Every structure is written in C-alpha cells, then in structure tokens.
Amino acid sequence: KEAETQQKLANVVILATGGTIAGAGASAANSATYQAAKLGVDKLIAGVPELADLANVRGEQVMQIASESITNEDLLKLGKRVAELADSNDVDGIVITHGTDTLEETAFFLNLVEKTDKPIVVVGSMRPGTAMSADGMLNLYNAVAVASDKQSRGKGVLVTMNDEIQSGRDVSKSVNIKTEAFKSAWGPMGMVVEGKSYWFRLPAKRHTVNSEFDIKQISSLPAVDIAYGYGNVTDTAYKALAQNGAKAIIHAGTGNGSVSSRVVPALQELRKNGVQIIRSSHVNQGGFVLRNAEQPDDKNDWVVAHDLNPQKARILAMVAMTKTQDSKELQRIFWEY
Ligand SMILES: NC(=O)C[C@H](N)C(=O)O
C-alpha cells in the first residue's frame, strides 16, 4: 500500500541554499536577530513531516549562505544543478530554499535560463524556524505543494511566500521584517491553501521553454553593476564602476528613471566607450520606464528596463549580454522578458 502511494506522488527535489529559512536565533522571541544559513536540508525536511503527504521529497545542499552574499558563480552553480535535475525522468518538480534578500534575483535568473516546463519553486522565510510564529514551515509546505502539482507546469519559475504564488519575474521583496514581504506590481498568480493551489493569472513575458537563453550554454556572466540616483548625486559611482570593468551600468533612477543633469555627460561618455547604460527606476513598487521619456534614449543609445527594478534589470542584462553586445538587441530583450 505504501509503495502504491509513493508511486502516485510526484518526486520533488529540494535544493537548499541557506537564508533565514535555514536560520536559528537564541530564543523564540528573536524574530529578527538570528543567524541565517545554519540548518542543513535534512533538518528542514524533517521539520515538516507533512511534506511526505504531498510528494516523495529528497534534499540536496547546494550551498549554505545568506542570500545577500550570493555571487554570479553561485547563480551559475545553482542554475546548472536545476537543469540537470529538470532533465532527469525521476524528477517532477524542484524547490529551492533561499534567503529572501536576493530571492527575486535568483528566481528571475532561473526563469530566464532553465529550459523546462517542470515546476521550479523558490521559497524563503522572514523569520527563522526557532522564532515564534515562524513562517518557513508553511512556506516550504506550500512550495512542495506547488512543485508537485501538474497545474504548475509551464508557468515559469514561481515563488511561494505568505500563502501566495508569485511569478519569479515580477515578485520583489517590498517589505522587510513582516511576513507579507513579497509583492508584485502585477499581483500574485495564485494562492496555496492547505496544500492545494488556486490559479488566477499567467505571465505574459517570455520564460523557461520559450526563452532564447539556456543555462547549459552559459559559462560566465559579464560584470553588470548598479548606481543609485538621488538628489545631489555626482557621477563618481558610475565612473568608478566602469573603471572597475562594468560592461553595463544599471541606473537605479529616480521616478521614471530620470537622470540628474550632473550625471548625464558621464553616462553619454561611458556609452561612447562601449559601456551599456540601462535606465530603471528605484521607486518601491511598480517602476515603469519608457524610452525617450525623461531622457533621449535614441540619441544617447541607452536602454530602458521598463518595469524591471534595478536588481532584476542587472540579471536580465547579464544574461542578455552572454549573447549580444548590441543595444537595440538588448532593448528588444528588455521588452520581451
Ligand atoms: N529573510 C532572509 O532570508 C534574509 C537573509 N538575510 C537572507 O537573505 O539570507
């Protein structure tokens, strides 16, 4: 009988990378003061015995770090392991436990480069498992529920936080401390309640199987950095980033991705020297940057990130620049993904 149910259940692999979901604090009152990335994947799985009702779950520790310390090499390592698992016949879905600080970057990266329609779900928590009202257990349970559900196929990389199913492309950590931290300007795709998913919308942008990018073809990512726009800004950071080897600079601009008149000449000069300039917005939710609005992008040969926030624009620029150095191609990619 047991063997029969095991056969019916989906096979889900949990790839653990660290973060607060694997964190531990000194007391149950420590919801914000704790060390991230302490617990191994076996402990995470053992902490939620109900996972066994949803899927045949096994775990792998890919790394053990707080997500603010994730590097491009870590992204590639994780991405390549996800692709190997997605290719194997005995894997139906993949869950990645991850710190929340850069979770949106990893989720978007995987959304761009994994050539599979199998569910890939990235999940974290805002409180460590040792805290009162810890959110990791339920978030993980929901992630495994979504990853083992056939309905989740072909919807791009997903994120399950706070009972919601979000698109890995759109979602962003918009609040810290609170458990309702992850929001998308375009709304969640669905909800998970008691291990069952309820879907309401689909992503309109290219992803996974419809993406022109493939992790198997990517061996390194180019240097792309971000500089912040604010009152009284100077061009120092932009110039320093370029001097340090940045192939593209994401302008985390004010408002519509506007650029201070004190910075414009430096960006025009950098572009002439081959550095791509990509205008995005650092408004907290729902940045929306259009070509030639605020700045003459056609004349300057700059690119706009449209609705992608600066950290997501960095991910797309890196992936795109593994294939093209042409600013018009880059702009096409920014419209399509
Ligand atoms: N809530 C968290 O996971 C935050 C932690 N700093 C991390 O990103 O690893």
Side-chain angles (χ1 to χ4, degrees):
K1 190 94 199 273
E2 206 176 290
E4 229 171 74
T5 31
Q6 266 179 354
Q7 259 175 13
K8 270 195 230 133
L9 291 177
N11 297 322
V12 172
V13 181
I14 300 182
L15 296 180
T17 70
T20 297
I21 194 165
S27 97
N30 286 127
S31 59
T33 310
Y34 57 85
Q35 272 191 294
K38 294 307 274 179
L39 256 66
V41 66
D42 294 342
K43 285 241 165 70
L44 287 187
I45 293 173
V48 194
E50 293 78 7
L51 295 180
D53 303 332
L54 297 172
N56 302 314
V57 169
R58 68 180 170 87
E60 267 181 45
Q61 194 77 44
V62 180
M63 55 193 109
Q64 183 66 298
I65 51 177
S67 75
E68 60 271 25
S69 301
I70 283 193
T71 62
N72 288 349
E73 289 68 39
D74 295 328
L75 274 184
L76 291 176
K77 180 180 172 191
L78 176 65
K80 286 183 188 287
R81 186 63 192 135
V82 169
E84 279 169 9
L85 289 169
D87 277 349
S88 71
N89 289 331
D90 65 347
V91 175
D92 300 306
I94 298 160
V95 167
I96 297 149
T97 61
H98 200 288
T100 56
D101 289 351
T102 61
L103 189 151
E104 66 197 82
E105 299 179 34
T106 298
F108 186 38
F109 176 71
L110 299 174
N111 192 61
L112 295 170
V113 300
E114 299 296 339
K115 308 293 282 180
T116 180
D117 67 355
K118 290 183 185 173
I120 300 169
V121 185
V122 192
V123 64
S125 78
M126 296 305 292
R127 298 177 182 148
T130 46
M132 283 185 268
S133 219
D135 54 331
M137 269 175 87
L138 182 54
N139 288 346
L140 181 60
Y141 182 74
N142 287 344
V144 171
V146 171
S148 52
D149 183 354
K150 283 205 175 72
Q151 283 190 89
S152 309
R153 291 180 82 112
K155 292 184 165 77
V157 172
L158 305 166
V159 172
T160 54
M161 294 287 293
N162 201 37
D163 297 350
E164 291 174 336
I165 309 168
Q166 300 274 2
S167 157
R169 177 205 184 265
D170 297 339
V171 80
S172 178
K173 187 174 188 177
S174 306
V175 182
N176 63 331
I177 299 282
K178 297 180 183 178
T179 50
E180 73 268 41
F182 280 73
K183 316 236 189 247
S184 153
W186 315 120
M189 290 169 71
M191 291 278 296
V192 212
V193 183
E194 295 186 353
K196 189 172 166 10
S197 355
Y198 300 88
W199 293 94
F200 297 97
R201 41 184 125 254
L202 292 173
K205 298 289 186 169
R206 290 176 73 176
H207 61 75
T208 57
V209 280
N210 296 318
S211 169
E212 69 207 84
F213 309 108
D214 184 348
I215 186 72
K216 289 179 195 149
Q217 318 290 325
I218 303 177
S219 53
S220 68
L221 293 165
V224 176
D225 290 297
I226 302 173
Y228 209 83
Y230 52 92
N232 205 47
V233 68
T234 68
D235 57 16
T236 311
Y238 300 85
K239 285 180 174 164
L241 291 173
Q243 241 168 37
N244 205 42
K247 302 284 180 271
I249 294 175
I250 310 296
H251 169 65
T254 36
N256 297 345
S258 53
V259 189
S260 161
S261 55
R262 285 162 78 176
V263 170
V264 168
L267 296 197
Q268 287 168 331
E269 185 67 21
L270 289 176
R271 181 68 203 109
K272 286 202 183 99
N273 296 331
V275 179
Q276 298 287 352
I277 303 298
I278 302 172
R279 289 197 300 124
S280 70
S281 170
H282 69 56
V283 299
N284 285 336
Q285 248 201 58
F288 201 91
V289 183
L290 289 171
R291 276 194 81 78
N292 303 314
E294 294 283 354
Q295 283 292 324
D297 297 295
D298 289 347
K299 179 177 149 261
N300 290 338
D301 195 24
W302 294 348
V303 172
V304 295
H306 199 31
D307 70 318
L308 293 177
N309 68 23
Q311 57 273 30
K312 285 186 189 266
R314 185 187 77 96
I315 295 289
L316 183 54
M318 289 195 301
V319 170
M321 289 172 77
T322 62
K323 279 206 154 179
T324 182
Q325 309 309 313
D326 179 68
S327 59
K328 295 208 171 51
E329 262 293 278
L330 267 183
Q331 186 63 73
R332 173 192 64 79
I333 289 166
F334 268 90
W335 293 134
E336 291 182 9
Y337 292 82

